[in-house]
Amino acid sequence: MRNLKPQLIELLKSGGCTPRISKLARNLHTRSSTIHYNIKSMEKDGTVRSYKAVFDYKKIGEGFCTFVLIHLSPDEYSDPLKIANMLAAYPEIESIDVVTGEWELLIKVRTASIEEYYTFATRVLSIKGIARTQSLNSLKQVKTEFVIL
Amino acid sequence: MRNLKPQLIELLKSGGCTPRISKLARNLHTRSSTIHYNIKSMEKDGTVRSYKAVFDYKKIGEGFCTFVLIHLSPDEYSDPLKIANMLAAYPEIESIDVVTGEWELLIKVRTASIEEYYTFATRVLSIKGIARTQSLNSLKQVKTEFVIL
DNA sequence: TATATTTTTGAATATTATCCAAATTATGAG
DNA sequence: CTCATAATTTGGATAATATTCAAAAATATA
């Protein structure tokens, strides 16, 4: 009997969900078919990107959360998206932004522990193009993905 | 005819969705009832916090994204959660973390534009207890909430 | 005002979630 | 190892829900 939960978590982390039309309809005192029409309209014009789950990350082995400020090497300044897009593929990374100020990129990383973060950092954040990093460790998550914890 | 989309967006931002069990079942080559059982199990034990939508934030009037580093006044050091929990109620704030380093809090804020951010900052970030802030503006979002853009 | 476009409605149908009792598999104590 | 217990899977039945569609209403456009 294989443990399905890890696979479910991976799928639900960025998709695999759908709006509860009838519940939303009751909530807004509107017919289901109207809600359906409006939601499909937002899906078609690209307003909605995905429907996904938010987890108690401690319970899925991603209890350690770090924000990493990244300084690129000068030859990457002209195209920070090259590095950013490469980083996007890592499942540990929740978000990636190109930002203003002394740092070029800000990423949010979730791992099981500080040891796993160290492994991640040495594996991923040591590539050519990343000149220097500074990390802010989250001591306590109060809100994430618009969900209050 | 009232425009339902703003209300739908508000509800879907932090909830109002559900997993697509049959789709997940097909994806994992497993019976629906098994997926159902596993998902309910994760809901019961608190592994899943919510099912929600991810938007193209430019299209919902939240195209301007800022990370704000917050330094609390010394009398708040002992309980940064007091301020953090107060901030959690604001719909503009996507995430709030208590962090290590020179700053006590790191929040992620979404507004329509830099003008609206200014309004937000003067309204929300000027309360007693917040001594100093520094903001990193997002020039480009590459990934958010585990969803690649 | 007339016409086109968008949105809503309600009913019919298709799809899906949910429930449940039985079967199977895993776990742990002795 | 063996038995007892708990956890998970299965398949079929039913309930709930999404989806479709044509007509109506509302809104925008000229």
Side-chain angles (χ1 to χ4, degrees):
Chain A
M1 209 187 302
R2 80 207 146 109
N3 184 10
L4 290 165
K5 285 171 185 173
Q7 298 173 80
L8 282 172
I9 289 165
E10 218 40 47
L11 289 171
L12 293 171
K13 208 190 245 182
S14 62
C17 298
T18 191
R20 274 158 59 81
I21 290 174
S22 65
K23 196 188 161 215
L24 292 163
R26 277 191 292 273
N27 208 311
L28 299 178
H29 308 290
T30 311
R31 312 258 174 283
S32 293
S33 43
T34 305
I35 298 297
H36 185 267
Y37 174 86
N38 277 276
I39 284 179
K40 291 302 148 185
S41 152
M42 290 197 291
E43 290 175 1
K44 264 176 217 135
D45 70 13
T47 298
V48 176
R49 296 304 301 245
S50 185
Y51 301 107
K52 56 155 284 173
V54 175
F55 296 96
D56 181 335
Y57 293 99
K58 289 184 296 299
K59 296 199 173 163
I60 63 169
E62 300 185 13
F64 188 74
C65 178
T66 307
F67 293 88
V68 189
L69 293 156
I70 296 175
H71 184 61
L72 300 177
S73 51
D75 46 310
E76 299 290 339
Y77 284 180
S78 61
D79 189 15
L81 286 181
K82 209 186 82 194
I83 299 267
N85 288 326
M86 216 203 60
L87 292 173
Y90 291 91
E92 295 92 343
I93 302 183
E94 178 179 322
S95 72
I96 306 177
D97 289 82
V98 180
V99 293
T100 59
E102 322 173 38
W103 307 87
E104 283 80 46
L105 297 178
L106 172 52
I107 70 177
K108 184 175 181 182
V109 182
R110 292 186 184 274
T111 55
S113 64
I114 197 162
E115 289 85 7
E116 275 212 14
Y117 174 70
Y118 176 71
T119 307
F120 171 85
T122 51
R123 179 168 54 97
V124 176
L125 302 180
S126 63
I127 58 166
K128 195 174 76 61
I130 295 183
R132 196 158 48 88
T133 67
Q134 184 186 319
S135 61
L136 306 189
N137 298 336
S138 176
L139 293 168
K140 175 86 182 165
Q141 311 245 142
V142 177
K143 192 176 186 179
T144 183
E145 297 152 271
F146 291 106
V147 176
I148 299 173
L149 301 172
Chain B
M1 208 187 305
R2 79 206 147 114
N3 184 10
L4 290 165
K5 284 171 185 171
Q7 298 172 82
L8 281 172
I9 289 165
E10 219 41 47
L11 290 171
L12 293 172
K13 210 190 243 183
S14 63
C17 297
T18 192
R20 273 159 63 83
I21 291 174
S22 64
K23 196 189 160 212
L24 292 164
R26 276 191 294 272
N27 207 315
L28 299 178
H29 307 289
T30 312
R31 311 258 175 281
S32 294
S33 44
T34 305
I35 298 297
H36 185 268
Y37 174 85
N38 278 276
I39 284 179
K40 291 301 148 187
S41 152
M42 291 197 290
E43 290 175 1
K44 262 176 219 135
D45 69 14
T47 299
V48 175
R49 296 304 300 246
S50 183
Y51 301 107
K52 58 155 281 173
V54 175
F55 296 96
D56 180 333
Y57 293 97
K58 288 185 297 300
K59 295 199 175 165
I60 64 170
E62 300 185 14
F64 189 74
C65 178
T66 307
F67 293 87
V68 188
L69 293 156
I70 296 175
H71 183 60
L72 299 178
S73 52
D75 47 310
E76 299 291 339
Y77 285 178
S78 61
D79 188 16
L81 286 182
K82 211 185 78 191
I83 299 268
N85 288 327
M86 219 204 57
L87 292 173
Y90 291 91
E92 294 93 341
I93 301 183
E94 177 178 323
S95 72
I96 305 176
D97 288 81
V98 180
V99 293
T100 59
E102 323 173 39
W103 307 87
E104 283 79 47
L105 296 179
L106 173 51
I107 70 176
K108 184 175 180 181
V109 182
R110 290 185 185 275
T111 55
S113 64
I114 196 163
E115 289 85 8
E116 275 212 17
Y117 174 69
Y118 175 70
T119 307
F120 171 84
T122 52
R123 179 167 55 95
V124 177
L125 303 179
S126 62
I127 58 168
K128 197 176 73 65
I130 295 183
R132 195 157 48 87
T133 67
Q134 185 184 317
S135 62
L136 305 189
N137 299 335
S138 176
L139 293 168
K140 175 90 183 163
Q141 311 244 141
V142 177
K143 193 176 186 179
T144 184
E145 298 151 271
F146 291 107
V147 176
I148 298 174
L149 300 172

